[in-house]
Amino acid sequence: MKLLRHGAPGAEKPGLLDAEGNIRDLSDHVDDITGDVLGDAALEQLRALDPASLPLVSGTTRLGPCVGGIGKFLCIGLNYHDHAAEIGADIPAHPILFLKANSAIVGPNDDVVIPRGSTSTDWEVELGVVIGKTAKYVTEAEALDHVAGYCIVNDVSERQFQTALSGQWTKGKSCDTFGPTGPWLVTRDEVPDPQALGLSLEVNGKRMQTGTTGTMIFGVAQIIAHLSQLFTLHPGDVISTGTPPGVGMGMKPAPVYLKPGDVMELRIEGLGQQRQTVRADV
């Protein structure tokens, strides 16, 4: 099942994607796609609905972030062997964790805005994991049972803010629009192995990133188990699990960064695609 949110920013309605690729409205059945409806029992009730009986939504409608009311937006850094190698970083002994501000979250096709003073805005296609069941002190064997589903995240990053402004990476990760999420939340029954998904990102039609979740240093189950030892994961929390090689800061002979007018296109196998136009803040 592919769940989504459609409509104007701040006024999104719940929906799903039917087998023919049409958007169907779920407003008569749930208020929103939030942690309250991401448990197994609630998802099973939605799965039992006949999509053909649901109101049809125009295919031109805006798609919002596929999850509303996100509690925590957790991100894992340097989590691909080949990405760590391209930027000359050591392989971490434990998952590197930072948080992205929820105010960065936008829809999958909304504009990405380069903030004032930015010189180094970069792209990162990532597998997003959405928690569906409260997780505290879970084992790796139990971890995936706590997942509602998966989505695409573009972990847009301002590298100078991230590295030169002192403090945590969060400074360069949390600018407005730096968290496109969606287009839909694909429930875990449709993703039998989250470590076997191809990822790609293009800028202006040129392939920049090509990778597979199979090269993660810490897999999804490891990440969930690790984080759950530190704090409780709640339904609706999102974990962005790191990016494969091909980011702008790793380009040779010199880094390449986003500029106004650039277009990013992101894809993850089975999870759809995103498309963002870059513009400058005013």
Side-chain angles (χ1 to χ4, degrees), residues 75-79 89-98 169 218 226-227 240:
C75 301
I76 306 300
L78 293 177
N79 195 35
D90 294 334
I91 300 299
H94 307 283
I96 294 174
L97 174 67
F98 61 91
W169 289 3
F218 304 102
H226 175 75
L227 296 181
S240 198

Side-chain angles (χ1 to χ4, degrees), residues 35 38-40 72 131-138 142-143 145-148 224 228 231-237:
L38 295 180
D40 289 347
K72 296 188 285 293
I131 299 298
K133 181 170 67 173
T134 300
K136 179 68 171 176
Y137 298 131
V138 302
E142 301 166 325
D145 293 337
H146 296 260
V147 173
I224 293 171
S228 78
F231 46 78
T232 302
L233 297 171
H234 294 102
D237 287 350

Side-chain angles (χ1 to χ4, degrees), residues 69-256:
I70 293 173
K72 296 188 285 293
F73 198 159
L74 305 158
C75 301
I76 306 300
L78 293 177
N79 195 35
Y80 281 70
H81 288 278
D82 35 12
H83 171 52
E86 78 171 336
I87 63 172
D90 294 334
I91 300 299
H94 307 283
I96 294 174
L97 174 67
F98 61 91
L99 275 70
K100 187 183 283 280
N102 286 18
S103 54
I105 300 169
V106 292
N109 304 314
D110 290 343
D111 289 351
V112 165
V113 180
I114 297 177
R116 295 179 185 178
S118 169
T119 60
S120 311
T121 297
D122 205 347
W123 55 83
E124 294 189 16
V125 59
E126 305 200 0
L127 172 66
V129 179
V130 181
I131 299 298
K133 181 170 67 173
T134 300
K136 179 68 171 176
Y137 298 131
V138 302
T139 66
E140 288 184 31
E142 301 166 325
L144 296 186
D145 293 337
H146 296 260
V147 173
Y150 303 90
C151 63
I152 303 173
V153 173
N154 189 354
D155 177 20
V156 184
S157 309
E158 212 302 332
R159 301 302 187 186
Q160 184 185 32
F161 294 2
Q162 178 183 349
T163 60
L165 294 187
S166 303
Q168 298 183 355
W169 289 3
T170 299
K171 289 183 178 180
K173 300 285 190 170
S174 293
C175 303
D176 294 349
T177 75
F178 273 24
T181 303
W184 35 76
L185 167 63
V186 180
T187 52
R188 74 172 188 272
D189 56 298
E190 294 193 13
V191 185
D193 184 1
Q195 305 309 144
L197 302 175
L199 309 87
S200 67
L201 182 146
E202 297 178 357
V203 178
N204 301 329
K206 180 180 179 181
R207 179 67 64 89
M208 295 298 194
Q209 290 188 273
T210 302
T212 170
T213 55
T215 66
M216 281 186 184
I217 298 167
F218 304 102
V220 173
Q222 289 176 286
I223 292 168
I224 293 171
H226 175 75
L227 296 181
S228 78
Q229 310 307 308
L230 309 175
F231 46 78
T232 302
L233 297 171
H234 294 102
D237 287 350
V238 174
I239 306 170
S240 198
T241 56
T243 198
V247 298
M249 71 178 298
M251 294 292 167
K252 303 293 189 294
V256 176

